[in-house]
Amino acid sequence: MTITVHLPGEFSVYQFFKDGSNERVRQFVPADEAVKAAHHYCNSVGARLGTTVRVIITDGGDCCCFEWLHGQGVVFPSREAPKS
């Protein structure tokens, strides 16, 4: 049995394709590396052609902290100011 411990500040990046499949492109990397990777995949040839349809960053607890969708751009976090 293998136990994996996720340290705070570890992020993973995934890209999703038009056919419904996905690929983890980074796993357990620091925030700056995750953001650079997400930027790359959001601006890749596949993203421009529409074969890459979604890119996300998840934290160590597997919560989504960033989401980009083809044709919409960044949808999470939203650009709107938080409502109090």
Side-chain angles (χ1 to χ4, degrees):
M1 179 171 146
T2 302
I3 298 174
T4 304
V5 176
H6 302 287
L7 299 174
E10 291 185 332
F11 299 87
S12 298
V13 182
Y14 298 82
Q15 67 174 335
F16 295 80
F17 303 103
K18 197 174 194 174
D19 68 2
S21 63
N22 66 74
E23 173 187 26
R24 182 178 55 227
V25 295
R26 297 288 187 284
Q27 182 176 23
F28 310 138
V29 297
D32 62 333
E33 186 176 338
V35 170
K36 286 177 188 175
H39 181 269
H40 168 79
Y41 289 101
C42 293
N43 293 285
S44 68
V45 171
R48 284 183 269 151
L49 292 174
T51 55
T52 297
V53 297
R54 183 179 182 219
V55 176
I56 64 170
I57 299 175
T58 60
D59 64 15
D62 210 26
C63 295
C64 183
C65 342
F66 170 88
E67 181 177 25
W68 170 92
L69 296 174
H70 179 261
Q72 296 180 44
V74 176
V75 296
F76 185 80
S78 71
R79 293 180 182 253
E80 296 177 12
K83 296 179 178 152
S84 39

